[in-house]
Amino acid sequence: MREDLLAKRMFWVGCCGLPWLWAVNVLYFRVAVFGPLKWVDSPSDDQDHAQMPPAVGQMMSDDTEDDGTAAGESATQQESIVSPEAIKEQVRTWVRRSTMGATTIAVIWIAWIISFQLNRDSFGPNWFIMSQDEADATGW
């Protein structure tokens, strides 16, 4: 699958209710979009590093013929191939959007936790826990 389509799908699925997928999108493409981090991505002789995701722009499949066209691909399909630079720019766009979404959701979640912890007494005893009368009425 092309990286730009993967980044786009991960963004839209994050919009549909799985915002943690935005963070996965950012972490998966972070080297290609933001560059390597010195304290995380520096090679070391004592460690075996996990393989990085495929480099953005390397989209040639194994089923190509000698003339560079894929098996069963017509001339009109060849014209619709997107350049590696365009793919890289689309990946950057979708990963930056995922970064903004993940940051926004994280700030809102942390703000909710802090406000609940600081004001938990003002919510009252029945706000979070059922009383004995409600348990008798519902059977739970």
Side-chain angles (χ1 to χ4, degrees):
M1 174 179 276
R2 282 187 3 208
E3 280 88 1
D4 61 335
L5 297 177
L6 179 62
K8 182 178 181 179
R9 287 180 183 166
M10 290 174 82
F11 173 78
W12 285 115
V13 171
C15 288
C16 292
L18 296 174
W20 58 268
L21 201 53
W22 288 330
V24 171
N25 195 8
V26 172
L27 292 175
Y28 186 76
F29 290 109
R30 75 177 166 74
V31 174
V33 175
F34 301 112
L37 300 172
K38 288 183 182 180
W39 61 89
V40 176
D41 297 322
S42 63
S44 174
D45 295 332
D46 354 332
Q47 294 181 357
D48 291 334
H49 289 283
Q51 185 179 2
M52 298 278 187
V56 177
Q58 296 177 351
M59 304 298 149
M60 292 298 290
S61 63
D62 293 335
D63 59 337
T64 57
E65 296 176 359
D66 292 337
D67 61 350
T69 60
E73 193 172 19
S74 68
T76 57
Q77 291 173 337
Q78 273 290 332
E79 294 171 0
S80 67
I81 293 178
V82 182
S83 71
E85 294 82 21
I87 291 173
K88 189 173 185 177
E89 193 57 40
Q90 284 294 313
V91 168
R92 282 186 180 154
T93 300
W94 291 109
V95 171
R96 286 185 180 141
R97 290 177 183 173
S98 293
T99 303
M100 290 186 293
T103 303
T104 303
I105 290 298
V107 167
I108 290 171
W109 183 58
I110 290 170
W112 181 83
I113 290 172
I114 290 171
S115 66
F116 183 78
Q117 291 298 321
L118 292 177
N119 300 317
R120 65 179 167 215
D121 295 333
S122 66
F123 288 113
N126 293 333
W127 185 80
F128 202 58
I129 300 172
M130 259 184 0
S131 69
Q132 183 64 32
D133 297 335
E134 290 175 1
D136 291 338
T138 60
W140 281 84

